[in-house]
């Protein structure tokens, strides 16, 4: 069995265990300031490092907690990560994070679903501040100001709306990083989390491209992008490349084709993000001999990454009803992927609102 197959099998067991667990609310109190930063670290580059350092400079005695997804090792785009999460956590701790916790299984969820899970994690962590990088574009300052006023700002088709005042703040679409900020605002409002003045917005630095880094790793041209990453990231990437442990773009093809070729129409329709039309198109065009044939049968969805998300769902076939149950209970367990030292770990345990803590 391949490394990726082993990871997916292990993570399905973790997913089901979490699904059938119940959170235990903690009654401990703490004056510690907790900074809850969500990022994929795919891989951790100078932009992430800048955001971490800028935030820690503002609160030097705080706990910096990185929320790093997560189960099944697929990104929000549905694409396999470069490195497993325990290795991404190792890098984060080495460059300054105090605690790294596991975030939700992004690759098998819609963007609204994993945004809701992330916000429920912020709530469970009892976060005092949420650092977030942004791109400075026209109109963004107004959006950020409204969010830090505690207003519910949401992205609608071709416009950004302040739902608290029913004003249109911006016409058009936001780029991905800025879109995530409004998605958090909407999701935090849904769960009743008061985020007034809790966001720390850090302007993104220039000269760093996660996409270019990932492409360079695949092309074995790491030297072309070393200036974009901290030395620890480069060191670990070289180690994992030497160990043939890079998982970027690698899938359990056998499992994907087995699901696509053998699940009934009703079983396919029940999967997360699927509908009857998509399921029927797969059934009508099978059997599939390879992934390319299958991708041609996947109808274009609401985003350019929809096909990749569908592949991840076929790889980990979970019904939408089960995903909904998982989201309702999330997070039942706070799974720690890494920590700086025992002192930080004890401060963290006293701070968060969940007694179910496990070490990965």
């Amino acid at each position: 069995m391949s490394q990726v197959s082993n990871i997916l099998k292990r993570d399905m067991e973790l997913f089901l265990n979490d699904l059938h667990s119940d959170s235990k609310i903690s009654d401990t109190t703490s004056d510690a300031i907790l900074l809850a930063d969500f990022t994929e670290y795919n891989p951790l580059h100078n932009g992430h490092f800048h955001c971490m350092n800028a935030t820690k400079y503002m609160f030097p005695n705080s706990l910096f907690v990185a929320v790093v997804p997560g189960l099944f090792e697929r990104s929000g785009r549905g694409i396999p990560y470069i490195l497993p999460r325990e290795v991404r956590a190792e890098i984060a701790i080495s460059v300054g994070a105090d605690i790294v916790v596991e975030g939700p299984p992004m690759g098998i969820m819609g963007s609204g679903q994993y945004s809701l899970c992330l916000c429920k994690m912020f709530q469970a962590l009892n976060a005092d501040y949420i650092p977030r990088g942004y791109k400075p574009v026209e109109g963004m300052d107004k959006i950020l100001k409204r969010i830090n006023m505690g207003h519910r700002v949401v992205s609608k088709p071709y416009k950004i709306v302040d739902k608290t005042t029913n004003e249109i703040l911006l016409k058009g679409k936001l780029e991905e990083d800025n879109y995530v900020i409004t998605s958090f605002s909407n999701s935090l409002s849904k769960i009743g989390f008061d985020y007034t003045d809790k966001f720390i917005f850090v302007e993104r630095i220039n000269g760093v491209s996660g996409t270019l880094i990932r492409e360079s790793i695949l092309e074995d041209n790491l030297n072309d992008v070393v200036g974009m990453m901290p030395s620890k990231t480069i060191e670990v990437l070289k180690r994992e490349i030497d160990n043939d442990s890079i998982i970027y773009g690698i899938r359990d093809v056998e499992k994907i084709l087995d699901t696509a070729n053998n699940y009934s129409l009703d079983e396919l329709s029940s999967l997360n993000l699927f509908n009857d039309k998509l399921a029927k198109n797969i059934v009508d065009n099978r059997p599939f001999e390879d992934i390319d044939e299958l991708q041609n049968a996947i109808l274009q969805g609401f985003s350019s990454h929809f096909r990749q998300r569908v592949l991840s769902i076929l790889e980990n076939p979970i019904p939408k009803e089960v995903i909904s149950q998982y989201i309702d209970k999330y997070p039942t367990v706070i799974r720690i992927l890494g920590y700086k030292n025992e002192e930080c770990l004890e401060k963290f345990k006293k701070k968060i609102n969940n007694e179910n803590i496990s070490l990965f």
Side-chain angles (χ1 to χ4, degrees), residues 217-235:
I217 291 169
L218 278 185
E219 296 167 2
D220 198 20
N221 289 324
L222 193 59
N223 288 336
D224 293 347
V225 293
V226 291
M228 297 183 183
M229 296 174 283
S231 59
K232 184 62 180 182
T233 299
I234 298 165
E235 174 189 325

Side-chain angles (χ1 to χ4, degrees), residues 339-355:
Y339 59 95
K340 182 179 178 181
N341 53 43
E342 292 294 334
E343 180 183 358
C344 288
L345 182 60
E346 288 307 309
K347 286 175 66 176
F348 176 76
K349 288 179 178 179
K350 291 178 181 178
K351 177 68 176 179
I352 66 172
N353 292 329
N354 193 327
E355 292 183 3

Side-chain angles (χ1 to χ4, degrees), residues 19 25 42 64 147 177 205 213 226 243 261-262 288 313 319 321 324 345 349-350:
L19 177 68
I25 303 302
N42 188 36
F64 189 96
I147 289 173
D177 285 0
I205 60 174
I213 292 171
V226 291
N243 293 336
N261 285 328
N262 295 309
F288 304 102
I313 292 164
E321 180 181 340
S324 294
L345 182 60
K349 288 179 178 179
K350 291 178 181 178

Side-chain angles (χ1 to χ4, degrees), residues 201-215:
F201 296 116
V202 179
E203 186 175 326
R204 287 192 58 176
I205 60 174
N206 295 320
V208 178
S209 168
T211 300
L212 186 58
I213 292 171
R214 291 186 287 274
E215 290 174 353

Side-chain angles (χ1 to χ4, degrees), residues 43-46 83 91 94-95 213 217 222-242 246:
L44 191 152
H45 54 57
N46 288 341
L83 299 167
I91 298 172
S94 73
V95 301
I213 292 171
I217 291 169
L222 193 59
N223 288 336
D224 293 347
V225 293
V226 291
M228 297 183 183
M229 296 174 283
S231 59
K232 184 62 180 182
T233 299
I234 298 165
E235 174 189 325
V236 172
L237 279 173
K238 287 181 176 178
R239 182 191 76 197
E240 297 301 302
I241 290 170
D242 288 343
I246 300 296

